[in-house]
Amino acid sequence: MSRLFTAYGLKDGDLYFLDLIPLVEMVWAEGHNQEAELRILEAFARRHMEELNGLLGYQAVTERDLENFMDRFARRRPPQALLAKLRTIACHRVRRRSSGEMADKAGRILEYCIDIAAACVTRYPYSLRERIMEGERRLLGELLPLLQGQSGS
């Protein structure tokens, strides 16, 4: 993984946010980010940061780490090749946890992915099944089995 970090100029703090890669992919699924999607991602990232620091008993992840992650992955579009590699790592990390912990984290990630997908539409009015755009729908279909551990990545 260190070669990956070196090749893409990733920082040590980015490692703490790898679980959020499916959410980042959802933000970029239609080729651009939108303000509501960014707010949802940041809310999840902030909660994630607070949980990590609470588990560790000290501030391992800082506001600066969070801001750097949001700048690198959410506010500017990261290379698709990087996201694909990080998705594999992220889904393996989520699946390696205990079954109860994994189900909880994977479930929250999927819930937030759905929230991001439904947060914005590109045109009104939209038909009954156009609230979630096609790229987001396709990505949800890819992420669901990966996070549930039903197939390899």
Side-chain angles (χ1 to χ4, degrees), residues 38-71:
L38 293 175
R39 285 194 311 267
I40 293 168
L41 172 60
E42 187 167 357
F44 189 96
R46 189 164 301 286
R47 178 178 175 185
H48 178 77
M49 179 183 72
E50 291 167 359
E51 287 173 355
L52 281 175
N53 286 336
L55 284 171
L56 296 172
Y58 67 98
Q59 188 177 13
V61 188
T62 66
E63 287 288 327
R64 173 172 244 156
D65 294 327
L66 173 63
E67 281 305 309
N68 287 340
F69 178 84
M70 291 297 293
D71 284 343

Side-chain angles (χ1 to χ4, degrees), residues 33-147:
N33 62 14
Q34 296 181 55
E35 188 59 36
E37 294 171 328
L38 293 175
R39 285 194 311 267
I40 293 168
L41 172 60
E42 187 167 357
F44 189 96
R46 189 164 301 286
R47 178 178 175 185
H48 178 77
M49 179 183 72
E50 291 167 359
E51 287 173 355
L52 281 175
N53 286 336
L55 284 171
L56 296 172
Y58 67 98
Q59 188 177 13
V61 188
T62 66
E63 287 288 327
R64 173 172 244 156
D65 294 327
L66 173 63
E67 281 305 309
N68 287 340
F69 178 84
M70 291 297 293
D71 284 343
R72 180 181 305 276
F73 289 95
R75 295 181 187 119
R76 289 186 301 244
R77 189 173 188 178
Q80 189 57 44
L82 174 61
L83 288 179
K85 290 173 184 173
L86 291 179
R87 179 203 293 183
T88 301
I89 295 166
C91 290
H92 282 298
R93 284 169 49 114
V94 170
R95 289 195 313 250
R96 272 199 318 241
R97 295 186 177 102
S98 69
S99 60
E101 184 184 355
M102 178 195 75
D104 181 52
K105 185 66 154 191
R108 280 193 290 145
I109 290 170
L110 286 170
E111 286 174 9
Y112 274 74
C113 282
I114 291 167
D115 290 342
I116 289 170
C120 301
V121 293
T122 56
R123 66 179 169 77
Y124 289 97
Y126 52 87
S127 69
L128 291 176
R129 298 205 59 220
E130 288 181 338
R131 177 71 186 172
I132 296 177
M133 306 305 291
E134 186 55 38
E136 295 163 332
R137 189 179 309 277
R138 186 175 43 256
L139 181 58
L140 282 169
E142 293 172 15
L143 291 173
L144 183 63
L146 291 174
L147 289 169

Side-chain angles (χ1 to χ4, degrees), residues 1-19:
M1 187 159 39
S2 64
R3 276 190 265 163
L4 179 67
F5 270 55
T6 301
Y8 287 99
L10 300 177
K11 309 273 188 244
D12 290 340
D14 294 331
L15 183 63
Y16 293 112
F17 295 102
L18 286 182
D19 290 357

